[in-house]
Amino acid sequence: MLFFVLAAAVVVVGVIAFFVLKNKTYTSENVPVVQGGIPFLGQVLVMLKGSPWDTMSKWVAEYGEVYKFILFGSEAV
């Protein structure tokens, strides 16, 4: 009996998690890209000008909690 109750609880939690996370899913098409930067280096020089933490905090204010930028030719999210 306890097994069925736990199995049902897991299913209910899984369904709830699915619907919550479904609305927060990002694809590469809808993630904003930080503007500027240099080819290949991307935003490395911008981050070196000051504290990377402060720079990324400014990007959060401008682009939202999820954004994409380039570091040494690789995309970082």
Side-chain angles (χ1 to χ4, degrees), residues 2 6 10 12 16-19 22 25 30 32 36 40-41 44-45 48-49 52-54 56 61 63 66 69 72 75:
L2 180 61
L6 289 175
V10 168
V12 169
I16 291 171
F18 171 77
F19 284 108
K22 178 183 169 191
T25 302
N30 65 0
F40 182 74
L41 291 178
V44 170
L45 298 178
L48 289 175
K49 286 182 183 177
W53 183 263
D54 292 338
M56 293 176 80
Y63 298 104
V66 177
F69 58 98
F72 298 111
E75 289 183 345

Side-chain angles (χ1 to χ4, degrees), residues 3-37:
F3 172 76
F4 293 112
V5 172
L6 289 175
V10 168
V11 169
V12 169
V13 169
V15 169
I16 291 171
F18 171 77
F19 284 108
V20 169
L21 295 175
K22 178 183 169 191
N23 293 332
K24 296 193 181 260
T25 302
Y26 292 93
T27 62
S28 61
E29 291 85 30
N30 65 0
V31 174
V33 179
V34 174
Q35 299 300 312

Side-chain angles (χ1 to χ4, degrees), residues 33-37 41-71:
V33 179
V34 174
Q35 299 300 312
L41 291 178
Q43 283 76 22
V44 170
L45 298 178
V46 174
M47 294 182 86
L48 289 175
K49 286 182 183 177
S51 167
W53 183 263
D54 292 338
T55 301
M56 293 176 80
S57 295
K58 290 177 189 174
W59 291 343
V60 166
E62 186 174 345
Y63 298 104
E65 292 180 0
V66 177
Y67 53 87
K68 187 173 11 179
F69 58 98
I70 307 296
L71 289 177

